[in-house]
Amino acid sequence: MTRSGLALALCLALVGPLASALEPDATHTEAARKHFSAGVKLYDAKDYPAALEEFRRAYAEKPSPGIKRNVALCLKELHRYPEAIEALEQMLDEGGDSIKPEVRDGARKTIDEMLPLVASLRIRVVSTHAAVQPAYEVFVDDQPVSAERLSRSVRVMPGSHKLRARALGFQEATQTVEVDAGAYDVPVTLELVSTALAPMGTLTVRAVPPDSDIVLDGVTVSQSGAWTGPVPVGTLHVEVRKPDYLTFSRVLDVRANESMELPVRLEPAPLPPQPPPPPPPPPHNWYVLGGATIEGESMSQGAAFYGAADPKAQPRSFGGATFTVKVGRRLGRFWMIEGVGEIGAYSLQYSSPTGTGRQDRVTVTNWIAGPVLRFRSAGNVRFAGGIGAGIEGQGTDASVYLQQNNLPHCQPCEVSGAGTSGMFLLEAGIQFNIKRVLFDASLLYDLHGVGNAVDGGGNRLWLDSPTGRIGLRLLAGYELF
């Protein structure tokens, strides 16, 4: 079968395109999902080495037969057929009965199609002058081969391969083999020759934690944290390793017939430095608010209404609403300065005090402008209070009925006038945010003058200056920048 024919057979056997066949389910971790998605994109872009690395990272985060199948596809595209076969076999072992029959059959068919393109070795390690087979390590082309792989065929690509075996107290065994495609279970024997005729010492290593690996001159002799055995005379490099612990390393000077004990306690590895937390977002210093103020005020009518000598002048209580706008800037965590503007009107209708039986009507237009210094407490829902000063203006339009010159009929009289004065403002209430949307509700007291509000003839409209206005202010706004 040609290489292009094999690639097509593989894609068909593994059922469907890579991305749609292997999307991770909801049990995958977020990290695995990110690596998997990156691997799919790289595979579609034919960057197979990078895709292979991403799929292996995804598998390390969340082992899955499906991800192992993606690893096999990348290895196949890189023409690393022995590793692709092993990945598919691992997929079948890990998935078991959970793999769909058509996927399992396709994987086995693909393995059968790749086998003629590779060779396999049956590696055997023997030792001389040793009553017990020593712990040894085997390397193929300088890549370690696990004991599990040594128990079965070791698949390689056709060509020349260098094999090595090493064990403590033995000379390293090396051999170069040449294999052809399709060669099956080529026998290879690596013979470890003992150095027992040379003087030896004895070493005992006891490590804590007890499941640590003990490595002598690069050879792992124990994975249980304890080992006793002969060691060659001379320098000996001892390492004790365990994941998440600092590696212990020491060079010993071994003398003939000397017994040495080496207790080792591994120290936990320090945690990797954590990245500093991201800086908090800068505060939004400027904001704008708008809304309504519901208010009331009591004022006594002056001579402009019923004459200077009218003894029936009395306080009138007005109610109404104004439109309010505020523009503010934060001065710090707890302080802010605001500019406030307000305009509105309130009116009153009542029976004429002249006894005419008619209804008098009075409308007052009110506006203010000035700065306010505000304080607020901490928290998302917080107290806010303020104090301010500025100018306030009032315009009055009224229609009142007067009986003049003892006439039998009442004559309507139009009264109007305006004036401005200083004002002093107090506010207290609550604020809260929903993200950058700001809400404000507060009670207010406004002390201002009305004495200079006169009509066209210079008569005062209102008495008892200064007077007070109270209200409830409801505003909503947005933090700008």
Side-chain angles (χ1 to χ4, degrees), residues 182-224:
Y184 177 72
D185 278 1
V186 176
V188 179
T189 300
L190 297 174
E191 184 176 2
L192 296 169
V193 179
S194 174
T195 59
L197 297 178
M200 302 288 285
T202 302
L203 175 64
T204 297
V205 181
R206 293 186 177 87
V208 177
D211 54 347
S212 305
D213 294 344
I214 299 174
V215 183
L216 304 181
D217 280 346
V219 178
T220 301
V221 296
S222 173
Q223 294 180 317
S224 62

Side-chain angles (χ1 to χ4, degrees), residues 299 304-305 362-367 393-399 414-420 450-462:
M299 296 184 293
F305 285 91
V362 180
T363 300
V364 178
T365 303
N366 190 78
W367 60 268
Q394 284 187 327
T396 302
D397 289 290
S399 178
E414 301 297 325
V415 179
S416 64
T420 59
V450 293
N452 58 356
V454 297
D455 64 4
N459 299 308
R460 288 182 60 176
L461 291 164
W462 305 104

